[in-house]
Amino acid sequence: LPTESTVGNHTATVKAVDTYGASHSASLTYKTYVNQAPVITFNYSGPTTLKWFETSSASFSAKDPEGKTPLKFSVVSDNAVSAPKVSGTSATVNVGDGKGTFHGTCTITATAEDVLGLKAEKTFTYTVLENRAPQLVKPVSNKVFQNAGERMNMDMTAIWQDPDGESMTFTFVSDNPEVATVSNSGSTYFVKAGKTGAATITMTAKD
């Protein structure tokens, strides 16, 4: 095979001589090149760190800069959530699944090999974050009502925040509905005083 020292233009001469000494020569000029590795192109415009509910897709393709065919092309993933779909010298892969079935790091590796055995490799690694629970950012103080019928308002979007930016739903349970009841309008909740006594209200936020 050609090496760096033999790349360039060359002339080969063949001379034929018969038994009587007559001869004829023919020359051939040729050029040699060093074999070039296949080129793998990776296309992805999304983030490399995804929230658990996010998903995207990426693609790989391979070609030989010298036009040699066929190429051996493969794409493998170390996690089934990104199982590659390979067709010829191109492939698509899922980046995350948007279902929360996987969190952690996933590495995808594409390999291309030409007919002379020269290989190229490209890897892509992404991370899916684990789902995080809503956080209480503004605790609610105990409330003393002076009269039946009084009420207090609570804006849940100011009291709770979801670190993943997800929407939340809220539930309230009063252990003594005759003393205090809860109603809501959208994300604003109202606690209304009833009979004299004490009540504990438990609120829960869910993403």
Side-chain angles (χ1 to χ4, degrees):
L1 293 177
T3 64
E4 292 289 350
S5 62
T6 61
V7 170
N9 295 316
H10 303 274
T11 300
T13 301
V14 178
K15 184 177 182 180
V17 182
D18 65 16
T19 54
Y20 298 102
S23 65
H24 181 75
S25 298
S27 297
L28 172 68
T29 299
Y30 63 95
K31 188 174 184 178
T32 58
Y33 302 85
V34 171
N35 185 31
Q36 299 180 60
V39 176
I40 299 176
T41 301
F42 174 64
N43 293 302
Y44 179 63
S45 58
T48 54
T49 299
L50 293 84
K51 297 174 182 177
W52 72 271
F53 56 87
E54 294 179 320
T55 185
S56 188
S57 63
S59 65
F60 294 88
S61 61
K63 67 177 181 179
D64 193 306
E66 297 155 341
K68 294 189 293 291
T69 56
L71 287 177
K72 293 180 181 179
F73 181 63
S74 65
V75 181
V76 296
S77 170
D78 64 1
N79 191 285
V81 73
S82 287
K85 297 178 181 178
V86 180
S87 176
T89 55
S90 62
T92 58
V93 292
N94 294 325
V95 179
D97 68 353
K99 300 177 182 178
T101 57
F102 162 75
H103 63 85
T105 299
C106 178
T107 298
I108 304 164
T109 303
T111 304
E113 181 181 351
D114 68 15
V115 293
L116 297 179
L118 191 58
K119 294 182 180 180
E121 184 177 281
K122 186 176 288 290
T123 61
F124 167 61
T125 299
Y126 70 89
T127 301
V128 177
L129 301 175
E130 187 174 5
N131 185 27
R132 295 172 291 177
Q135 298 176 349
L136 182 66
V137 295
K138 186 179 179 181
V140 179
S141 301
N142 292 335
K143 176 69 175 179
V144 177
F145 294 103
Q146 300 298 323
N147 302 293
E150 289 184 22
R151 71 178 189 176
M152 64 179 290
N153 303 342
M154 295 180 292
D155 180 4
M156 292 296 100
T157 59
I159 296 173
W160 295 92
Q161 287 185 0
D162 188 90
D164 299 322
E166 299 172 74
S167 60
M168 296 175 288
T169 57
F170 308 98
T171 57
F172 283 75
V173 176
S174 173
D175 69 346
N176 195 342
E178 292 187 351
V179 173
T181 57
V182 182
S183 60
N184 76 293
S185 176
S187 62
T188 301
Y189 281 71
F190 311 98
V191 177
K192 185 178 180 180
K195 290 182 177 181
T196 300
T200 297
I201 297 173
T202 303
M203 59 180 178
T204 304
K206 182 179 180 180
D207 62 16

